[in-house]
Amino acid sequence: MKIIRLLTLAAGLAASLQLTGCANISMSQPKAALETTTALRGTTMAPAAIGKFSLDSSRPADVDKSIGLRGGNSVKSPIDDSFSQYLRESLRVELEAAGLFDAASKTVINGTLTQSEADAAIGTGTAKLGARFVVTRAGSVKYDKEWIVDDSWESSFVGATAIPLAAAHYEGLYRKLTGKLLADPQFQAALAKE
Amino acid sequence: MTSSFSLGLRRLGVSLLIGASATLTGCASFYLDPATRDVSTAEMPKVAQPQPVKLNFEFQTRGAPNSRATEHLQGAVTEQIKASGMFSTLDAAPGGAILDIKLNNIPLNDGSPAAKGFVTGFSLGLVGSSVADGYECKLSYLAPGQTVPIVKLTRHAIHTTLGAANPPPGTVHVDSANEAVLKMTHAIISNALRDLAQDPAFH
């Protein structure tokens, strides 16, 4: 039973560190995924600008601000306290890493956050992220599509484990979503060099 | 039921080493696995013409980003890369070279496929006397204009015991969980950097 005592000790101390009262977990600053960068460097896309990103107007404003995890705990965005702005920055850093970001470009990518949820339920945790992306060039729409990605994982009955893990999986969806968008041949065609 | 409960506790405990690093003191002891030795700056192969690079570092737990641990280790990792002398700056221009380091924590006592695939070569102790956290470092270097990175993989492990339990043989005692994590990080990255520096494709 020593191993159980050891692990219980570790869990209890970690819980006291991570979850004293209610925890607000801030996601990391967006980073480019190397896999996406290497894929983009092999394409013939032209640099693009990033335009306006916002929450779908049909959704409650709170959806853009935080996600509650098991009561008073939450995950938040470090970018303007906004998930839609986190998505915007996630896309910008991906394009920049591949040398495909140009704030002055006439090709502009706009986005609307349509889905944002995570659940640290006991047993199986789930998360979902969705956004509609619109590409315009000189005012003409070249691309308009919604992408939705999701994730599920084994979720502990102890909040000290389950809540940070849910936040981590939710954060990972931003790379997954931008990766889907940037790998879409239709999107790449919309950004193709003229 | 007991088995399931024990497994749950194991998964719980081993996944929390990083989170507990600031508070685990007293009766818990920490040991570095001897399989991965730190490579000092003096031992690092010299790079004739260091070039700028953009550093991306991320700590992961079971492959998912761990923002708190990333923040905790970011400064130390940045200083280590600078001290290696392998790169002129760490703020390469967009589209330039990228050094991508992912340090993934894999709990070794939870019976998962990832754990089973990891343990070869490491000093696991007797069941019931210690728990181990495995760490896998994937260091990727993408040169400017290239689409295929150079990739180096290195591994390390931290063992934790309770009370007077004997540590796994050959392991190196460290004073705290935080020291264990910092030394593990330095050692695992130093090995990956050395492997990169020795790769002719890097030069």
Side-chain angles (χ1 to χ4, degrees), chain A residues 10-29:
Chain A
L13 290 172
S16 69
L17 171 69
Q18 298 182 351
L19 294 174
T20 302
C22 299
N24 288 321
I25 299 174
S26 180
M27 298 192 295
S28 311
Q29 290 291 324

Side-chain angles (χ1 to χ4, degrees), chain B residues 25-122:
Chain B
T25 57
C27 54
S29 298
F30 304 94
Y31 302 87
L32 293 173
D33 196 278
T36 304
R37 191 180 61 84
D38 193 82
V39 180
S40 69
T41 303
E43 297 173 276
M44 201 69 75
K46 300 300 177 195
V47 176
Q49 293 181 312
Q51 300 295 313
V53 74
K54 164 80 172 167
L55 172 63
N56 283 338
F57 168 72
E58 181 174 86
F59 190 97
Q60 301 177 332
T61 301
R62 293 191 176 101
N66 184 328
S67 61
R68 213 168 267 197
T70 299
E71 185 180 351
H72 181 66
L73 294 170
Q74 179 76 58
V77 171
T78 300
E79 288 307 311
Q80 182 179 359
I81 303 302
K82 285 180 181 174
S84 74
M86 292 174 62
F87 305 98
S88 58
T89 67
L90 301 187
D91 56 354
I98 296 172
L99 183 67
D100 188 88
I101 300 176
K102 290 190 170 57
L103 183 51
N104 186 25
N105 175 205
I106 303 169
L108 299 184
N109 296 69
D110 66 357
S112 67
K116 289 175 181 172
F118 189 96
V119 296
T120 304
F122 286 92

